[in-house]
Each structure stands twice: as structure tokens, then as C-alpha cells.
Amino acid sequence: MPDTTLTSDPSHDGPGAQSDDAAGYYTPGAPIADTKAPGGPIADRWQTRKFEARLVNPSNRRKLSIIIVGTGLAGGSAAATLGEAGYNVKSFCYQDSPRRAHSIAAQGGINAAKNYKEDGDSVHRLFYDTVKGGDYRSRESNVYRLAEVSTNIIDQCVAQGVPFAREYGGLLDNRSFGGVQVSRTFYARGQTGQQLLLGAYQALERQVAAGTVETFTRHEMLEVIIVDGKARGIIARDMVTGEIETHLADVVVLASGGYGNVFYLSTNAMGCNVTASWRAHRKGAYMANPCYTQIHPTCIPVSGAHQSKLTLMSESLRNDGRIWVPKKASDCEKDPRDIPEEDRDYYLERIYPSFGNLVPRDIASRAAKNVCDEGRGVGPAVEGVRRGVYLDFSAAIERLGRDGIEEKYDNLFDMYARITGEDPYSTPMRIYPAVHYVMGGLWVDYDLMSSIEGLFVTGEANFSDHGANRLGASALMQGLADGYFVLPHTIRDYLADGPFEPVPADHPAVVEAEQAVRTRIDTFMNSNGTRSVDSYHRELGNIMWEYCGMERTEEGLKKAIDLIRTLKDDFWRNVKVLGSAESLNQSLEKAGRVADFIELGELMCIDALNRRESCGGHFRGESQTEDGEALRHDDEFAYVAAWEFAGDGEAPILHKEELIYTAIEMKQRSYK
Amino acid sequence: MRLTLKIWRQADAASEGAMHTYEIDDVSEDMSFLEMLDVLNEELQAKGEEPVAFDSDCREGICGMCGLMINGQAHGPEVTTTCQLHMRSFKDGDEIVIEPWRADAFPVVKDLCVDRGAFDRIIQAGGYISVNTGSAPEAHATPVPRDDALRAFNVATCIGCGACVAACPNGSASLFMGAKITHLGELPQGQPERDTRVVEMVGQHDHEGFGGCTNIGECTAACPKEIPLDVISRLNWDLHAAMRHGL
Ligand SMILES: Cc1cc2nc3c(=O)[nH]c(=O)nc-3n(C[C@H](O)[C@H](O)[C@H](O)COP(=O)(O)OP(=O)(O)OC[C@H]3O[C@@H](n4cnc5c(N)ncnc54)[C@H](O)[C@@H]3O)c2cc1C
Ligand code: SF4
Ligand code: FES
């Protein structure tokens, strides 16, 4: 074990004891020995790696080709940067334009250790907050690098014309976000993701005009092509004509985003999926920590069975809004304005006095669930329980005036009013947690390369930077850090081995990948079942939310695995896809995605079952302190669970990567 | 509530399209317009009919992917995106006509989906600031007056949905273009390319087959992000300035 402070838990058998709830569901594999992070002082590691990464001379770059799946912050920024550098880039997305990638929806902001406020921020503090916020389940070297390059991101985006909020003097403004005590979050009203993505998109389109990047919109990647152990291309479907296309390159980058839609209802865009990652996983890329799901505390509560998605209200609202529920369950039906101050329970301020309404997301989410489970939730009862808490701006409106609030949050307030039909300026908003982000994803080494050579993974699709819980405003930072500043350096070291032997179009690996895609599509089109794809997705989502959601137990997870296996069986026999495969067919698109979600869902449950500890966004009912806080077991679980696909119907193989902290001490998190 | 839907169905770009009528029951007012179509699609599926294709992704009014003509209005009766339009804007017994965006420069792909690739090509023509990654100066090196930043932000919120084009009798994309030209032109970083940007973008716009602007103002009335009409004046002003500068 590394030199760390171990947690001591009296109910626990002590170091060395191995709980193995998932026995029988997996096969143990060899540990992961090397992540390729350079050694030495943490502050020098990235500089060392950059220096050691071999160079590719500009005239050779033209001869090298890169496929990038995804045009969000991670993929768009990478494509623009690698295009500028002179490589041949092919960029893919399933939407009709790269500008629509899901990153566009991010509201709150982006962190960077600029210390413009002189409030004690630094690269080291951002690093420290991120590792602590992730409950010591992220990789130290990666997180440090993220904090280090964060400052360049702001410079880059400002130069591109991203209209961040400014102070009267013309300098950039900041705000603070959940889980931290400094103001380091840069923002563009409540639409930061949109503005950052437009910056990356414009940089990308500039390269399209320059001829270095070719974009393939309405194209879905359905398979990776692996030749001699190396990723050399993809099979994509042109979603308009149905044509199955082979695209070959020297290296493949997946920047395909997160898989939160496995829960059906989430804050993610409708099309977010796991297909690109899952297809790669089935070909040998390890899937790391898939069970780490972030539940966001401030979403608009569910209103009925028709619902297709949940809408997030930016967490920045927690800066000014106070969260409460009535002290007495009997007050829950009352108009909140009629409940006097002394009958309100500002439960976050009460339980966590030093962070108050700004505790990290997992803590805020679970606290909301607890008060609703106690019967003190507010708003309409759905299936017998009121699932909502108040987010109250009345004090802030008094302090800052209605104008002050309008200026900060206007579009969020409008959005709330539009969706709920209620006016949040006059009556408190109602919020409830919802699935938002996944910290798990394809395993990558320090260079962002997966366990398949030549297959790189960036942004939300990889796993490395956020541990078991992501602090607010850190995903945008990671997407842009990976795409603008990290991948371009690490990929050049890989490409320096070029020129690579061209892959002939009739290479057996290409033929096999293409055939696999065709067979799968034919299976869907010829299945004469009766149930719609959506109905399976909803059912899967219910299972996942119920048993692998905010709180997991051994019993529940085992039950979920059985349910998912039965569902999978039924899906393949009973799903119905109408229309043709040779044209735009949204049911067919969804069928492929849901099939992959079902397999992922099973692995998420197995991963959650294996991890008999509570950390960050993973709360195991069996592992809590006396007062109901999450209890980690660093002696047993300070590792990344990297799962290898072993074949259909075979138990997955678990590789453990030990987490070693040299620059930071592992502590039990406390926000009290 | 119970509604009658008249929906444009068209198998692909090359086929003839036609209106089809569908009845739908049990529509609740909390549903978004697209959720109502989801429910219709589930019903069609159950009857063995192919679901209606329509575009959407974020379903929260920000990606710009959704967009329908609803009773002849781009995005429908409220000033918002189709995904943020809720059924409380309609009443029991209504007949609703649903068509794809209408514009020569946006060919129909299938049913209610159109191809808006022309917007990307307009951006390629100059809707950016040229700065290579890693060569940016310190962010505080150039202060930007707060009001300029705010105005740049307000017009940068264009989501590229195309409602302005669909609403315009001339099928002009001037509002979309004006928004980008104003956004970048408002900032110090956008000045060096200000002249070339407007000339190139306008050239591409005309080349794509969008119509000319005759100041009717339907675009701004339909724009879910309330991009103001004066971005078009700014566009014209910049274009004339570029001409004067000899471009
Ligand atoms: C509502 C909301 C608000 C958020 N707010 C914040 C915030 O304030 N701050 C913050 O830091 N983070 C926030 N996040 C998280 C953050 O937005 C995301 O984690 C991040 O944008 C992901 O970026 P990405 O580039 O990895 O992926 P995405 O932006 O999701 O892009 C994925 C890309 O992959 C493509 N793709 C996927 N699969 C395929 C396939 N099979 N074939 C072809 N293309 C494919 C898609 O077309 C898309 O282009 C928010 C998230 C949500 C949902
Ligand atoms: S200007 Fe308005 S209507 Fe036109 S594309 Fe932009 S947001 Fe849509
Ligand atoms: S679906 Fe994104 S704006 Fe409507």
C-alpha cells in the first residue's frame, strides 16, 4: 500500500480482508502495473512527458490520418488542434451539425486555477479539491495535469471570442461552485457549455475550410477496426442513406461522451449513448469504474410517465438559493410562502454548516433523497411520494434585488417557468436529483490511450480525472484540456512511429467488422417481435434507477443483474423495428444503442456489487457511518476497477489498478 | 386532451411528400410538443406503422436540433424552441398542422427532418476568429468592456436552429449570419478579420441559395433566442464598410 492514512472502521475486518460480494459474477485478472505516468515530483510530470513525447515533422504530419468520433468539447477541440497541426482528420458525429454535441447544454461554468480573485487558489488547490471531491478514486497524475493546463484553456477560449462574463473593469468575472471555497469558475451566463462549444466548433469549421478536417455528420460509429492489435479505423453508418462505410486511419480517438442515458431519464441529450465505447470494449478496451454515476442535486422533478428527459437547473443556483423543506410533514402541502421561517428546515445549512448549500453533489443529492424518504418532500406526489425540495431565492431577491437575480440567472428562471408553468421569482423552485454525468468510462493510461493500442479516449468517455464524484464545472475543463492541450502531445508520440502500413480495404479485420455491423442491423430489421425499442429502454432505466441509482445494496444489485439478463433475452426475441435500414430510421438507431445499454447496465451492476464501500457517487447501503454518511474502505478499494470483456455470456475479467497518492494524503471526506 | 394532427410525411429527399392525419388522445398539458410526438410514435409502432421522423437532441432548448412548422409558425405559437413548447399552449379538440422547415436551402431529409448543412458552410466561410491552439495571450491581456461582452454574449446565444430562415418569406439567413457577425465584431479579438468575415459569409450565404433580406422581420419574431433585428443592420453596415475598405 502507498503511504497514506487508512480509514479505520470498527465494523470492518481490518486491512487485508477482502469482501467479495461479486464472487461468481466475475473472473479475477492480472493487476494493471503501469499507467505510463512519468515519475518524479508531481508538478514536473506533465512537462517531462511532453518533452519526452517524440516529434512528428510537419511534412510527415500530412501523411498521417486521425479519426475522431465526437464533436463535443473533447472531440471538437482535438479535431481543430490536430487539424491545425497539419494531420488529416476525419471527424464524426450523429447530429446534423458538430455544433449540437451534448456539451452545448452545460450551464454552470468551467473551472480554472487562474487565481484572479486572489482568494487562495492555485494549481495545487484545484488539484487538491478535485481529488478530494472525487473521494480519492481518481488518478493523481492526471488530475494534476488537468489543473495545470486549466489556465491555458481560458486564454484560448477568450482569444476565440468566447464571451465570458466580465466585471465593470473589463476583466473576467468568476463564481464559485459546489464543493469548493474559492471562486474559480468562469461562466457565460447560464450557457457556458454553449459558448465554449461554439468556440471549438468555429475552430473546427475553420479547419474544414482549410482542408485539414473532414466532417461526417449524421454518421454513427458502430464498430472499431483492429488490425494486428492496433485500432486502424471504424465502421460507420450514414444515418440518412443507411450506407455502411469503412473509414481507415492511423489512429482512432473516441470522444463520444457519457452513457448516463442508460437510466433512460437523465439530464443528457436524447442521443447520448455508449455504443462507441461499448463496441470498443467488446474488442478489448477495458471499461473502468462503470458504476460511478453522478446524480445532480438540482433538476426539475419528474411530472409524469410521458417524460423523455429531465432538465437540469444549473448548480450555480446553489450560490444564491437556499434549500429547505418543511420541518413537519403536515406542512408539505401548504403554499411555501405561508410556511414561517421557524417551520423550515434548511437541512444542508443545518447538517453541513461550513459548506451549507454548496456541499458536493453526491452529498446534496442524498440529503434531498433522505428528507423526501422521511415524508417531508414537496410538490405533487408521483407514485405516492413527493419528490422535491425547495430552492428558495426570496432572501437573495431581497439582498440583490430582482434585477440582480435576473442578470445572473434569467434564462434558468425562464426555463423553469416554461417547463413547470410556475413563476420562480414569486414562489420557490422545486428541485430533485437526477442522473447527470458518468465518472466511469473507457480505461486510459496517462497518454489517454485505452488498452487497445492506437485507440485514444477523451472527455466524458474516459474515466481518469474525476474519481467517484465530479466537482461542478470540471467536465468542461477536462473536455477542453484533453482536446486542446493533452491529446495533441500524447498522440504525436504514438504517431511518431509512422508512416504506418496502409490497411487494404479487403483486410480480414475490415471485412469482419463490416460483416458484424450488417448482421446486427439485419437482426433488428428481421426480428418479428412486438415491443418498441423505447419500451425496453424505459424498463432498463427503471431497473437501473431503482437498484443502481442513488443507493445500492448487495441484494438489490443481484436482483438487478437477474432482471437485466431476462430483459436482454426478451429484447433480442421480441424487439420490433419498422421501416427500412436503407434510409433515416430512428428506431433502428435506438435499437443498437439500447442493445449496448443493456449490456453496459449489467456490467455497471457487477461493478457496483464488487465495490462494497461508499464513495462519491457510489453509495452502498452496507457501508455507512452511524450518522448515515458514506464510508470508504481505502484498504480494500483504493483501486480502479478495469473490466475486460471475456465474450458473450462469459463473466467479465476484473483488472485492478492500484491508486497511489504521493502528493496528497488520503482522508475521509468531511464537509461538516 | 384530444387532438387531430396533420403531419407531413416524406420517405426521403427524392420522394413526394404528403400530409397524413392522425388522432391522438390523452395528451397532458405537462408534455412537451416532442413528448406528444413520442407518444404518437409509440401508438403508430403498435399499429405497425412507421414512426414519424423528427430531429431533437437536448430537449432543453439549447442544441438547436429540433424545429417544426406548427400551424404555419416556426417552432409553434410561443417564442421558444419546439422542444420547450408545452402542450398547455393548445386546447382540447385542436387541429395541429406539423411540417418541416420550409426553405430551398434546407432540403427535406425525411418526414420532418431537414438538412441544415448550409449553416455549417456559412461558418466555414469565416464565422470564427483565427487563433491556433496554444498561441493565445493571457486572458486578461485585453480587457473587454462589460457592455460589449454582454452584447456579444446576447447575440452569441443563437442556436443555429434555422427558424429565422423558415419564417422568412425570402428564405434568408441574415439573422443567423448577423448574429455571428455581431458576436465576433463586438469583441476586440474579432477585429482583424472583421472585413473578410462578412464578405466571405455573405458570399457563401448567397451561394447556398438563401434569399435576400427585405427587412420583413419575421425572422426575429420567430427566433427562440430573441436575436434582435438590428444584427442585420450591423451585417449591412459591416458589409458596406468592407466594400469601402476595398474588399
Ligand atoms: C445539462 C448538463 C449541464 C452540464 N453542465 C456542466 C457545467 O456547467 N460544467 C461542467 O463542467 N460540466 C457540465 N456538464 C457535463 C459536461 O457538459 C459533459 O460532461 C461534457 O460536455 C462532455 O463532453 P464530451 O466532449 O466528452 O462529450 P459530448 O459533448 O457528449 O459529445 C459527444 C459527441 O460524440 C458523438 N457521438 C457519440 N456517440 C457516437 C457514435 N456512436 N458515432 C458518432 N458520433 C458519436 C456525438 O455526436 C457528440 O458529438 C453538464 C452536463 C449536462 C447534461
Ligand atoms: S437567429 Fe434565432 S432563429 Fe435563427 S438560427 Fe439563430 S436562434 Fe435560430
Ligand atoms: S432539442 Fe435541442 S433545442 Fe430542441
Side-chain angles (χ1 to χ4, degrees):
Chain A
M1 277 306 285
D3 176 23
T4 54
T5 321
L6 295 178
T7 52
S8 64
D9 161 24
S11 68
H12 180 69
D13 293 340
Q18 294 295 313
S19 29
D20 197 0
D21 292 352
Y25 288 91
Y26 75 98
T27 312
I32 295 175
D34 186 11
T35 65
K36 295 218 289 256
I42 196 155
D44 299 341
R45 288 181 198 167
W46 178 229
Q47 297 306 330
T48 308
R49 180 70 192 119
K50 270 202 293 191
F51 181 73
E52 285 172 354
R54 289 165 296 162
L55 300 174
V56 181
N57 128 3
S59 64
N60 286 339
R61 293 183 204 157
R62 281 196 293 279
K63 298 178 203 140
L64 293 164
S65 55
I66 303 172
I67 284 174
I68 302 181
V69 179
T71 62
L73 288 178
S77 56
T81 305
L82 292 165
E84 274 161 29
Y87 300 100
N88 283 302
V89 180
K90 284 184 174 182
S91 151
F92 294 79
C93 69
Y94 68 74
Q95 294 95 342
D96 70 332
S97 164
R99 66 177 293 149
R100 311 212 197 277
H102 168 62
S103 296
I104 200 103
Q107 299 173 349
I110 177 167
N111 286 335
K114 281 284 198 188
N115 192 29
Y116 284 157
K117 291 277 183 262
E118 268 297 305
D119 57 359
D121 202 12
S122 63
V123 167
H124 199 87
R125 188 173 302 276
L126 175 53
F127 157 69
Y128 172 85
D129 284 346
T130 308
V131 173
K132 176 185 173 205
D135 229 347
Y136 304 90
R137 291 293 176 266
S138 54
R139 256 202 216 136
E140 179 183 79
S141 302
N142 291 55
V143 179
Y144 195 91
R145 172 175 69 189
L146 175 66
E148 192 178 333
V149 303
S150 67
T151 56
N152 302 354
I153 296 174
I154 304 305
D155 299 342
Q156 180 67 28
C157 296
V158 166
Q160 286 172 343
V162 170
F164 285 118
R166 300 233 168 211
E167 294 172 340
Y168 281 105
L171 301 181
L172 294 156
D173 193 11
N174 293 116
R175 56 188 177 197
S176 63
F177 246 61
V180 301
Q181 289 167 313
V182 292
S183 266
R184 63 160 73 102
T185 306
F186 294 79
Y187 65 102
R189 191 99 41 91
Q191 303 175 21
T192 316
Q194 179 193 35
Q195 294 309 319
L196 295 173
L197 185 68
L198 291 180
Y201 158 75
Q202 287 165 198
L204 172 74
E205 295 299 345
R206 170 174 166 245
Q207 293 309 309
V208 173
T212 61
V213 178
E214 195 181 351
T215 45
F216 295 83
T217 58
R218 291 203 200 260
H219 270 67
E220 183 160 35
M221 170 208 160
L222 296 174
E223 204 47 270
V224 275
I225 297 168
I226 298 182
V227 177
D228 300 332
K230 295 194 170 86
R232 292 301 303 273
I234 62 168
I235 306 289
R237 178 171 178 271
D238 178 329
M239 293 155 75
V240 176
T241 62
E243 198 172 326
I244 304 302
E245 302 172 358
T246 300
H247 295 272
L248 297 167
D250 296 318
V251 64
V252 176
V253 180
L254 299 185
S256 48
Y259 51 76
N261 275 2
V262 64
F263 290 89
Y264 188 76
L265 283 182
S266 78
T267 64
N268 291 3
M270 300 293 285
C272 289
N273 66 86
V274 75
T275 290
S277 299
W278 195 255
R279 297 283 112 199
H281 172 62
R282 292 181 56 105
K283 288 232 159 146
Y286 296 172
M287 178 61 86
N289 299 335
C291 80
Y292 286 165
T293 307
Q294 182 163 82
I295 315 276
H296 196 288
T298 54
C299 299
I300 300 178
V302 178
S303 70
H306 56 268
Q307 200 133 350
S308 59
K309 80 158 280 166
L310 296 173
T311 302
L312 175 97
M313 298 302 291
S314 167
E315 176 173 37
S316 62
L317 294 170
R318 289 204 272 148
N319 278 322
D320 287 304
R322 297 181 70 196
I323 296 174
W324 63 276
V325 290
K327 282 188 179 155
K328 298 182 293 236
S330 55
D331 279 353
C332 288
E333 276 173 63
K334 277 196 190 154
D335 183 326
R337 289 164 294 187
D338 297 340
I339 302 174
E341 201 62 22
E342 64 272 17
D343 291 338
R344 302 176 174 190
D345 179 11
Y346 295 91
Y347 57 90
L348 290 176
E349 298 169 29
R350 172 173 57 82
I351 312 173
Y352 307 98
S354 56
F355 281 76
N357 295 300
L358 290 174
V359 291
R361 294 175 173 178
D362 56 318
I363 293 180
S365 299
R366 212 165 39 253
K369 177 177 190 285
N370 290 344
V371 291
C372 294
D373 288 350
E374 278 169 27
R376 294 193 288 142
V378 298
V382 178
E383 286 165 15
V385 192
R386 291 176 207 282
R387 301 218 171 270
V389 300
Y390 291 122
L391 177 61
D392 195 335
F393 285 87
S394 51
I397 290 176
E398 234 163 73
R399 194 173 72 244
L400 304 168
R402 189 182 155 121
D403 290 354
I405 293 295
E406 259 178 32
E407 183 171 317
K408 273 174 127 164
Y409 306 115
D410 190 38
N411 65 317
L412 299 172
F413 276 50
D414 283 353
M415 188 164 85
Y416 182 86
R418 185 168 295 288
I419 292 171
T420 60
E422 287 171 18
D423 172 24
Y425 286 104
S426 59
T427 181
M429 289 183 183
R430 285 176 294 108
I431 52 163
Y432 197 68
V435 170
H436 179 57
Y437 178 89
V438 289
M439 282 73 68
L442 291 180
W443 184 89
V444 287
D445 62 18
Y446 187 70
D447 285 351
L448 305 181
M449 189 163 86
S450 72
S451 50
I452 298 175
E453 255 193 85
L455 183 76
F456 289 79
V457 191
T458 62
E460 192 173 340
N462 77 22
F463 87 102
S464 54
D465 292 7
H466 306 296
N469 185 41
R470 173 174 69 78
L471 288 182
S474 297
L476 300 182
M477 172 171 69
Q478 186 215 340
L480 291 179
D482 285 0
Y484 283 135
F485 300 109
V486 178
L487 181 78
H489 291 289
T490 59
I491 209 170
R492 77 176 143 86
D493 187 54
Y494 183 83
L495 288 170
D497 283 332
F500 298 83
E501 184 114 342
V503 176
D506 60 352
H507 188 285
V510 177
V511 176
E512 179 272 330
E514 195 185 315
Q515 197 47 49
V517 168
R518 288 189 191 281
T519 308
R520 201 167 147 86
I521 292 176
D522 289 346
T523 312
F524 289 131
M525 297 313 301
N526 298 329
S527 161
N528 279 322
T530 51
R531 268 183 77 177
S532 72
V533 179
D534 273 351
S535 73
Y536 284 101
H537 195 176
R538 272 178 204 272
E539 189 172 336
L540 174 69
N542 284 338
I543 299 170
M544 295 303 292
W545 179 245
E546 187 66 27
Y547 302 108
C548 199
M550 260 194 279
E551 182 167 340
R552 298 105 188 249
T553 62
E554 178 178 351
E555 194 194 344
L557 288 163
K558 287 184 170 161
K559 184 165 173 195
I561 294 168
D562 285 343
L563 289 170
I564 294 172
R565 288 177 178 170
T566 310
L567 186 72
K568 178 174 171 181
D569 208 45
D570 189 67
F571 175 84
W572 285 103
R573 280 185 292 116
N574 225 346
V575 72
K576 179 77 193 153
V577 176
L578 295 161
S580 108
E582 279 78 49
S583 73
L584 188 79
N585 187 332
Q586 294 171 331
S587 308
L588 175 63
E589 292 158 21
K590 285 189 244 175
R593 294 172 192 164
V594 172
D596 291 337
F597 275 140
I598 293 175
E599 293 183 11
L600 166 76
E602 182 180 338
L603 186 66
M604 287 171 74
C605 293
I606 294 174
D607 186 44
L609 187 57
N610 169 63
R611 193 167 285 276
R612 193 189 178 91
E613 68 164 346
S614 297
C615 60
H618 169 73
F619 191 84
R620 269 292 289 264
E622 293 89 350
S623 185
Q624 45 184 308
T625 62
E626 264 169 25
D627 38 359
E629 299 293 335
L631 182 64
R632 270 188 358 240
H633 299 297
D634 293 339
D635 48 349
E636 281 190 81
F637 293 105
Y639 63 75
V640 173
W643 298 92
E644 180 184 349
F645 182 74
D648 278 308
E650 300 292 322
I653 302 163
L654 173 59
H655 300 274
K656 297 179 181 176
E657 176 200 324
E658 195 184 347
L659 287 164
I660 299 168
Y661 295 98
T662 57
I664 201 165
E665 189 189 17
M666 260 198 231
K667 290 192 193 135
Q668 242 347 315
R669 255 183 347 152
S670 168
Y671 286 88
K672 292 221 163 172
Chain B
M1 46 188 150
R2 185 186 168 82
L3 302 166
T4 303
L5 307 176
K6 301 208 152 164
I7 302 181
W8 183 261
R9 307 287 316 249
Q10 180 174 341
D12 52 44
S15 309
E16 287 270 302
M19 295 305 275
H20 288 237
T21 304
Y22 305 95
E23 302 289 334
I24 181 166
D25 281 330
D26 288 337
V27 173
S28 98
E29 52 173 40
D30 285 331
M31 288 178 182
S32 72
F33 198 85
L34 299 183
E35 284 167 349
M36 183 274 293
L37 289 179
D38 290 341
V39 172
L40 172 76
N41 275 343
E42 283 291 290
E43 288 178 17
L44 291 180
Q45 285 255 112
K47 286 194 280 189
E49 283 180 56
E50 203 186 331
V52 181
F54 63 89
D55 275 327
S56 77
D57 202 19
C58 72
R59 297 222 174 172
E60 54 185 62
I62 193 77
C63 73
M65 185 109 170
C66 65
L68 304 173
M69 295 304 285
I70 299 170
N71 292 335
Q73 285 178 286
H75 286 305
E78 316 270 333
V79 183
T80 187
T81 55
T82 308
C83 59
Q84 292 294 288
L85 176 66
H86 283 74
M87 296 314 290
R88 60 181 82 90
S89 301
F90 300 88
K91 31 179 222 312
D92 190 36
D94 276 358
E95 180 182 286
I96 307 178
V97 181
I98 309 169
E99 299 159 275
W101 279 167
R102 310 174 190 149
D104 287 345
F106 289 164
V108 172
V109 170
K110 178 171 184 167
D111 294 345
L112 303 171
C113 306
V114 299
D115 179 355
R116 286 167 288 198
F119 270 12
D120 291 334
R121 292 188 291 274
I122 290 179
I123 299 296
Q124 283 158 26
Y128 47 75
I129 290 171
S130 297
V131 48
N132 281 1
T133 306
S135 56
E138 214 299 318
H140 270 179
T142 316
V144 180
R146 193 170 190 260
D147 289 346
D148 295 358
L150 206 63
R151 185 165 156 77
F153 171 80
N154 282 336
V155 292
T157 57
C158 161
I159 56 174
C161 62
C164 46
V165 177
C168 175
N170 307 328
S172 171
S174 291
L175 196 70
F176 166 78
M177 248 189 332
K180 186 49 59 195
I181 280 165
T182 309
H183 159 210
L184 299 177
E186 201 65 45
L187 298 169
Q189 292 82 359
Q191 300 312 314
E193 292 168 295
R194 193 159 157 189
D195 286 351
T196 46
R197 176 179 306 122
V198 67
V199 171
E200 298 291 326
M201 285 175 77
V202 169
Q204 187 65 32
H205 170 273
D206 296 351
H207 176 75
E208 293 288 347
F210 291 103
C213 171
T214 51
N215 270 315
I216 296 170
E218 289 291 337
C219 52
T220 185
C223 172
K225 298 297 151 182
E226 301 177 43
I227 303 296
L229 199 57
D230 63 6
V231 299
I232 299 181
S233 318
R234 174 67 178 262
L235 164 78
N236 290 329
W237 198 93
D238 274 19
L239 190 61
H240 290 137
M243 299 296 174
R244 277 202 310 280
H245 301 157
L247 269 181

